[in-house]
Amino acid sequence: MKKIGFLSFGHWGKHPSYQTRSAGDTLLQSIDLAVAAEEIGLDGAYFRVHHFADQLGSPFPLLSAIGAKTNKIEIGTGVIDMRYENPLYMAENAGAADLISEGRLQLGISRGSPEQVIDGWRYFGYEPAEGEDGADMGRRKGLEFLDKLKGVGFAQPNPNPMFPNPPGLLRLEPYSEGLRERIWWGAGSNATAIWAAENGMYLQSSTLKEDESDKPFHVQQAEQIRLYKDAWKKAGHQREPRVSVSRSIFALVNEQDHYYFGQESNRHDKVGFIENNKRAIFGRSYAAEPDQLIEDLSKDEAIKEADTLLLTVPNTLGVDYNVHVLSAILEHVAPGLGWR
């Protein structure tokens, strides 16, 4: 068995083919898609977070709304850029969202990738400490966020408070027990995957990573996952590690599928630069009739290594079509690969 979720980039725009013409459309349709995904048996609803773009930028209201309208589906992000975050305020928001969903939050965080705005986190009031760059700051904030999720008191109470205080130092509220163990790190390299394991975070690996060898993307990603699992074991954590990978996979089962994604059938890995002097490899998309998909995906080493697969969805095409896309994978592809 493999957990299968969707990952939405949450786009909107005034394009004639879009069903999401506004931020309101995207938010409301995201809730509807998560509800429908739970109904068809999907395991997770995950959302990208981007700032200064026509995409979802503030995840906790959305995650809370989904948590209130669903019962069992995992709810998460992939990923929150920690360079933009206040770890303490984020811990309060995350605790509230997790309590609303009764412990179903699976938060993906990371140090971030290039954004729409140069050093956009500076507009949010954040500056790296002396000797840090933005990536260092993101990792430091990630560790502070983890620390505050432990629920340990750290703040000196006011001797004359408005309301009575419990004894000792105060922690952030609301506190949600167990959330600290459900934080994932989006790793773009082998080294950061190992670092995530050492710090007790689950691993999210997307459709791109640093190009660290001349091997195909899925092989490099599988090697990253194995390094992560080895580091987790060496760290001596008492719970089992979890790993997710994301993929663009479309089963072509009707004319509409062929119209939208038939041209994706011959895609290959691509190599480029996502940051200055940092070569990255981008994994291919999969689009084919179900039998061919089963054959192609059976060769994907990274999917085999992961316990969770996140299917990227074309959210701009509307809820009904995306439910069809997800249902086609569950019905026509997953059983043939032993995922269901």
Side-chain angles (χ1 to χ4, degrees):
M1 293 289 290
K2 192 180 295 291
K3 288 184 180 291
I4 302 175
F6 73 79
L7 174 62
S8 172
F9 282 58
H11 292 288
W12 68 83
K14 297 188 183 301
H15 190 282
S17 68
Y18 282 14
Q19 298 294 312
T20 52
R21 301 293 184 88
S22 69
D25 290 340
T26 297
L27 287 163
L28 294 172
Q29 289 185 30
S30 295
I31 297 168
D32 290 343
L33 181 57
V35 171
E38 181 175 82
E39 291 173 350
I40 65 173
L42 218 66
D43 301 299
Y46 288 74
F47 300 89
R48 286 294 301 267
V49 180
H50 285 288
H51 303 285
F52 300 107
D54 292 343
Q55 295 176 248
L56 301 169
S58 179
F60 292 106
L62 174 61
L63 298 173
S64 296
I66 292 172
K69 296 199 72 173
T70 56
N71 297 299
K72 57 185 179 181
I73 195 169
E74 293 182 342
I75 306 164
T77 50
V79 292
I80 297 173
D81 186 337
M82 292 304 297
R83 297 174 300 179
Y84 287 79
E85 297 296 326
N86 177 318
L88 277 68
Y89 189 50
M90 181 175 167
E92 292 180 340
N93 283 335
D98 195 46
L99 290 169
I100 289 170
S101 69
E102 298 183 300
R104 289 182 283 128
L105 210 58
Q106 303 283 341
L107 276 186
I109 64 174
S110 186
R111 63 92 168 179
S113 59
E115 294 276 310
Q116 302 298 108
V117 172
I118 297 171
D119 294 345
W121 29 270
R122 296 186 190 274
Y123 294 94
F124 281 57
Y126 302 120
E127 295 284 344
E130 185 176 353
E132 283 186 334
D133 59 16
D136 296 328
M137 178 177 67
R139 284 187 283 268
R140 170 174 55 81
K141 286 185 171 189
L143 293 179
E144 185 176 2
F145 174 62
L146 291 178
D147 181 67
K148 296 303 181 286
L149 289 180
K150 294 176 182 176
V152 177
F154 63 95
Q156 190 68 40
N158 186 342
N160 299 298
M162 181 177 294
F163 306 105
N165 279 325
L169 300 177
L170 302 182
R171 69 184 185 188
L172 294 172
E173 300 290 353
Y175 166 68
S176 185
E177 186 174 359
L179 178 56
R180 167 60 181 83
E181 281 70 49
R182 286 178 273 114
I183 306 302
W184 306 58
W185 186 263
S189 68
N190 293 346
T192 51
I194 292 169
W195 176 84
E198 291 170 344
N199 286 283
M201 287 181 280
Y202 295 150
L203 175 65
Q204 285 186 341
S205 193
S206 72
T207 51
L208 70 88
K209 69 177 297 293
E210 289 185 20
D211 189 16
E212 301 182 75
S213 72
D214 59 355
K215 299 175 183 177
F217 170 78
H218 73 99
V219 176
Q220 291 196 45
Q221 190 175 50
E223 292 174 347
Q224 179 195 46
I225 295 170
R226 294 183 194 112
L227 288 170
Y228 167 81
K229 290 179 179 178
D230 287 344
W232 183 280
K233 185 177 181 180
K234 290 176 183 176
H237 302 303
Q238 296 304 303
R239 64 191 194 281
E240 289 297 312
R242 288 188 62 182
V243 176
S244 74
V245 296
S246 56
R247 292 289 186 273
S248 296
I249 304 173
F250 302 99
L252 308 181
V253 299
N254 62 27
E255 290 184 7
Q256 191 175 28
D257 299 329
H258 281 275
Y259 174 77
Y260 282 136
F261 301 108
Q263 73 277 10
E264 301 276 345
S265 58
N266 293 317
R267 289 293 180 95
H268 302 282
D269 294 345
K270 294 181 180 179
V271 174
F273 290 87
I274 193 169
E275 294 179 302
N276 291 336
N277 302 316
K278 189 168 288 187
R279 183 178 164 105
I281 185 167
F282 301 78
R284 56 163 295 189
S285 299
Y286 292 91
E289 295 183 353
D291 288 347
Q292 185 62 50
L293 271 185
I294 292 169
E295 181 179 342
D296 293 343
L297 291 167
S298 68
K299 302 171 186 175
D300 191 310
E301 292 186 19
I303 293 179
K304 291 178 183 177
E305 290 286 344
D307 61 84
T308 301
L309 172 64
L310 301 182
L311 302 170
T312 60
V313 293
N315 77 283
T316 57
L317 297 181
V319 174
D320 290 344
Y321 184 69
N322 278 286
V323 171
H324 160 74
V325 167
L326 296 169
S327 296
I329 299 298
L330 292 181
E331 295 173 15
H332 302 294
V333 179
L337 289 161
W339 300 344
R340 281 292 189 271

